Amino acid sequence: MPHDRTYADEIKYLTKIDEVRYKINEGFVPNMKVPGIVYANDKLYEQLVDELKVWSEGTGTGFIPALKQIANVASLPGIVGYSMGMPDAHSGYGFAIGNVAAFDMNNPEAVVSPGGVGFDINCGMRLIRTNLKAEDVAQYKEILAEKLFEAIPVGVGGEGVPLSKKDVESILAEGIDWTIKKGYAWQEDKEHCEENGRMKSADPDKVSDRAKTRGRGQAGTLGAGNHYVEVQCVDEVFDENHAKAMGLEKGQVCIYIHTGSRGLGHQVATDFLQVMEKAMARDKIKLNDRQLACARINSKEAQDYLKAMAAACNFAWVNRQMITYHVRQVFSEIFKATPRELGMHLVYDVCHNVAKIEDHVVDGKQMKLLVHRKGSTRAFGPHHKDIPKDYKDIGQPVLIGGTMATCSYVLTGTEQGMKETFGSTCHGAGRLLSRHAARSKKTQKDVANELRARGVSIRIGNPKLIMEEAGWAYKDVNEVVNTCHNAGIAKLCCKLNPMSVIKG
């Protein structure tokens, strides 16, 4: 149905700052406490305003467009700076996907919102390097796809290593440390994970029995949707020094892993959205959108959520680590060498659905903030205390996944990003078409032929996903990462092209 303002009236609240920044001025939605800012070049901006136009005219799906969601987040109590949309931003639940927002921990009105983290808590990216070259692997692309598909459970019902109730409790509390004890990880792996693969604030007692039950069969599984394991080749190096620090060079074979906390994290989010609604009623918190359900940071509900969220984060790191174990075993079997002989070291692991307490400078003042990054990657600049010593001089590695038909990137965090985005940047290409629209564009055979023409071997659990996850369903990842680079909030390091892909 039509909305109160016309599209022409809506865009009057949007102003261009420069070639890669647009401002959402106060008044775009009611009760905005701060402005919004969107990182986008002209092409990406036009895609966002097209979505707004359709919504304004009442001819779309009814989902709130990303620009409105970013502005709605700017109305939440205790927000500081801007509500920020990254170049891959698109409509999500409550917060846009690709939305960053920080809240003042010392403001008693400030809130935490599960919608600002998302349902797939600590969905993240992991990059493993090898000492293999593309020419070493070219003849093995099909068998790699086949063996990885056999070794790693995929899809909605994929069953991983069966876990006891005690195992689940330990995973939620210990994160990657559990996998080290069980032989699934090398000691050095944790050193190259965000938070060292374990959020110590986790409390398994805050995670419901139903969530724990959902997690018991899902450790070491890929899931469905946009999650994947890809064997890739470093195609281009933009910064030789930064690449060298990460052990990356042109022609090198690497493996990207993209998955999260599976059903366990989804259940944590679902449980606490209901809890937050009751807390809002009690504390008389008024919202523009009920999907932004939240609670005061210092309330019991908020503290319980943050402890449960941290536990789900720990589960996600274990999940990616167990998949890493399977990947190393498959490569070892095919190339007749141990994973260490193949140089299968973890470059880095980042999460992009999380809320964390961090220290940042705002308007020249040091502040303790709760930073929500939904569909956004932490990108701390050089010499930050929370990045591995190997990367102190270059900044945190930032892992950006593309699509199975395009490419992925490695970037590094910058000082500019620390000042401007609380050390945050994009997380991927960003969906452009709904899954239904993507399926109606071309046939499964068309997509398979296009992938084959690009030399990509693929195994997929659900055939319809090959259309839903095709390149045309997403924004251009090249445009996204170049926008981040040009804005100075992350720095280009390497581009990687897919060779073998497995999906749910």
Side-chain angles (χ1 to χ4, degrees):
M1 56 184 285
H3 298 276
D4 292 341
R5 288 197 301 239
T6 66
Y7 170 67
D9 290 331
E10 296 280 21
I11 60 172
K12 291 176 183 176
Y13 289 89
L14 309 174
T15 54
K16 186 172 185 176
I17 300 172
D18 58 27
E19 294 306 311
V20 287
R21 294 171 180 83
Y22 287 83
K23 185 177 181 182
I24 305 173
N25 293 289
E26 293 177 51
F28 187 58
V29 301
N31 307 315
M32 289 176 70
K33 312 283 190 300
V34 297
I37 189 168
V38 177
Y39 292 85
N41 62 16
D42 288 345
K43 178 180 177 181
L44 296 169
Y45 176 71
E46 286 302 320
Q47 290 170 347
L48 288 170
V49 295
D50 283 348
E51 180 187 48
L52 175 66
K53 185 174 189 291
V54 168
W55 181 82
S56 299
E57 295 171 347
T59 57
T61 59
F63 290 113
I64 299 174
L67 288 170
K68 286 285 184 180
Q69 290 188 314
I70 293 165
N72 281 336
V73 169
S75 72
L76 289 174
I79 189 170
V80 299
Y82 291 91
S83 173
M84 291 171 279
M86 295 296 118
D88 51 339
H90 56 288
S91 181
Y93 183 94
F95 280 56
I97 298 167
N99 207 162
V100 177
F103 298 82
D104 180 3
M105 293 289 294
N106 291 318
N107 182 343
E109 300 293 308
V111 298
V112 59
S113 173
V117 171
F119 286 93
D120 194 357
I121 297 168
N122 188 6
C123 183
M125 301 293 300
R126 166 173 289 223
L127 179 63
I128 304 160
R129 67 178 187 255
T130 76
N131 57 23
L132 297 166
K133 298 293 185 182
E135 55 267 27
D136 301 326
V137 174
Q139 63 179 309
Y140 297 102
K141 287 190 298 183
E142 283 293 329
I143 192 170
L144 273 169
E146 189 66 33
K147 291 291 185 181
L148 288 169
F149 192 73
E150 290 174 1
I152 301 167
V154 303
V156 173
E159 288 289 322
V161 176
L163 299 171
S164 67
K165 185 176 180 181
K166 182 179 178 181
D167 282 333
V168 174
E169 297 282 344
S170 297
I171 287 169
L172 294 176
E174 300 171 17
I176 201 170
D177 289 338
W178 181 87
T179 64
I180 292 172
K181 289 192 300 188
K182 295 292 184 179
Y184 291 109
W186 302 344
Q187 181 66 35
E188 69 187 61
D189 289 338
K190 69 177 290 183
E191 297 167 11
H192 285 168
C193 284
E194 189 171 331
E195 300 291 330
N196 291 123
R198 178 185 184 185
M199 290 188 74
K200 294 181 180 178
S201 57
D203 184 348
D205 290 342
K206 305 305 180 185
V207 177
S208 70
D209 289 341
R210 184 174 182 188
K212 291 171 183 174
T213 299
R214 291 184 70 178
R216 283 184 67 174
Q218 293 186 330
T221 68
L222 195 56
N226 64 346
H227 297 144
Y228 58 79
V229 172
E230 286 191 3
V231 179
Q232 301 181 338
C233 170
V234 178
D235 178 61
E236 194 170 353
V237 174
F238 306 101
D239 190 311
E240 295 283 354
N241 290 334
H242 286 198
K244 185 177 180 180
M246 288 182 263
L248 302 175
E249 61 183 24
K250 187 170 181 178
Q252 181 180 14
V253 171
C254 299
I255 302 97
Y256 250 127
I257 297 170
H258 177 211
T259 190
S261 52
R262 304 286 278 111
L264 183 143
H266 194 286
Q267 191 62 49
V268 167
T270 301
D271 292 340
F272 277 93
L273 282 167
Q274 297 171 6
V275 170
M276 299 294 184
E277 287 192 359
K278 294 177 182 177
M280 285 194 307
R282 180 195 66 212
D283 295 338
K284 298 180 172 55
I285 300 173
K286 304 295 183 183
L287 302 175
N288 289 350
D289 177 9
R290 62 174 296 186
Q291 290 185 358
L292 294 172
C294 58
R296 308 284 188 213
I297 292 174
N298 57 9
S299 69
K300 181 182 186 301
E301 292 85 356
Q303 291 300 308
D304 285 353
Y305 169 72
L306 290 171
K307 292 171 183 175
M309 181 210 71
C313 285
N314 289 346
F315 186 89
W317 277 307
V318 168
N319 187 26
R320 290 196 288 275
Q321 186 61 51
M322 293 176 75
I323 291 173
T324 299
Y325 174 83
H326 292 313
V327 168
R328 285 170 172 163
Q329 295 306 114
V330 166
F331 268 74
S332 180
E333 176 189 343
I334 292 173
F335 294 101
K336 311 301 180 188
T338 68
R340 288 193 181 275
E341 289 171 338
L342 293 170
M344 299 188 74
H345 299 283
L346 179 60
V347 175
Y348 204 57
D349 180 301
V350 294
C351 44
H352 50 234
N353 280 358
V354 70
K356 289 199 288 189
I357 299 169
E358 299 170 0
D359 294 319
H360 290 277
V361 176
V362 181
D363 296 328
K365 179 184 175 184
Q366 188 81 17
M367 298 184 72
K368 190 171 290 294
L369 304 175
L370 181 64
V371 184
H372 294 62
R373 295 186 182 94
K374 180 179 181 179
S376 170
T377 307
R378 193 185 77 174
F380 284 174
H383 310 297
H384 195 283
K385 63 181 179 63
D386 290 338
I387 59 178
K389 60 183 179 181
D390 309 26
Y391 306 137
K392 290 290 185 188
D393 291 338
I394 69 169
Q396 179 197 304
V398 176
L399 311 177
I400 307 300
T403 71
M404 58 191 176
T406 57
C407 56
S408 298
Y409 283 88
V410 178
L411 295 81
T412 48
T414 65
E415 283 300 327
Q416 180 66 27
M418 296 302 296
K419 295 173 184 175
E420 196 172 320
T421 63
F422 309 113
S424 310
T425 193
C426 65
H427 86 302
R431 182 164 282 277
L432 184 61
L433 298 179
S434 70
R435 296 187 182 280
H436 174 76
R439 288 198 303 272
S440 65
K441 193 172 177 70
K442 290 186 182 180
T443 67
Q444 179 183 337
K445 184 177 180 181
D446 290 334
V447 185
N449 287 340
E450 288 178 13
L451 290 171
R452 197 173 296 114
R454 288 179 55 88
V456 178
S457 300
I458 185 166
R459 296 293 184 277
I460 196 160
N462 186 339
K464 72 178 182 180
L465 278 178
I466 200 169
M467 290 95 76
E468 293 178 2
E469 297 300 315
W472 62 71
Y474 286 84
K475 299 181 183 186
D476 185 338
V477 70
N478 303 291
E479 301 270 359
V480 169
V481 297
N482 283 326
T483 297
C484 292
H485 178 82
N486 292 335
I489 61 174
K491 191 175 191 294
L492 283 168
C493 180
C494 299
K495 182 176 84 169
L496 303 93
N497 285 336
M499 300 175 72
S500 301
V501 181
I502 72 163
K503 293 181 73 71

